Amino acid sequence: SQQGEEDPQALSIQEGENATMNCSYKTSINNLQWYRQNSGRGLVHLILIRSNEREKHSGRLRVTLDTSKKSSSLLITASRAADTASYFCATVVKAAGNKLTFGGGTRVLVKP
Amino acid sequence: DAGVTQSPTHLIKTRGQQVTLRCSPKSGHDTVSWYQQALGQGPQFIFQYYEEEERQRGNFPDRFSGHQYPNYSSELNVNALLLGDSALYLCASSLKARRGGETQYFGPGTRLLVL
């Protein structure tokens, strides 16, 4: 079963706009990670946020984590056509080693 | 710095056959995890190898087996292939699995089609 569930499932925006996607999970986590996947290829790690952190930034990416609501959000600012991809959140549960449990992903289309 | 490599990139098999997929981890990494990603879905954890032993396993049948070599490279074997085994198989490497929560680096995947 999937630990994380992304919302929305698909997102279409214009270049330059911001893209926000959310992830909800069910159990207490060690950390939550966001990955990007282009056209069914390998996943690229974007950012890791630990359970004791509330917000992290990396370039145009901003991730928040609310452990009380068991949710996270990924914001991509000033989107570019190259940001077109599927974005996945993945959780690491304390009792389960470092295996990643992925959600179903958000498919983002950035139109030029 | 070599990233994670996987071979082959694509593979076509028929039902009942066996397949072996290969993965070389990122330089310096000692842990390899395998994931199955069906079309349109998120990856599902198959198992993880560390120190040449299977350390964790997801909800996959015994038809799925693996191996890790002393150089940390790994193989995923699937016996008695079913149509439902058609998927993208992803290998990910990381460092010191026992610490938990380390970033995993993914290879480009092997796309398996079972006819």
Side-chain angles (χ1 to χ4, degrees), chain A residues 58-70:
Chain A
S58 177
R60 294 183 295 111
L61 305 179
R62 172 178 171 257
V63 168
T64 62
L65 179 64
D66 187 334
T67 53
S68 66
K69 295 181 180 179
K70 293 186 171 58

Side-chain angles (χ1 to χ4, degrees), chain A residues 4 9 16 28 32 34 39 43-44 49 55-56 62 64 67 71 75 77 81 87 92 100 107:
Chain A
Q9 291 186 331
S28 295
L32 185 145
W34 286 91
S39 301
L43 281 78
V44 174
I49 186 165
E55 187 172 312
K56 285 191 82 170
R62 172 178 171 257
T64 62
T67 53
S71 67
L75 168 67
T77 60
Y87 293 82
V92 175
L100 296 169
R107 287 144 194 84

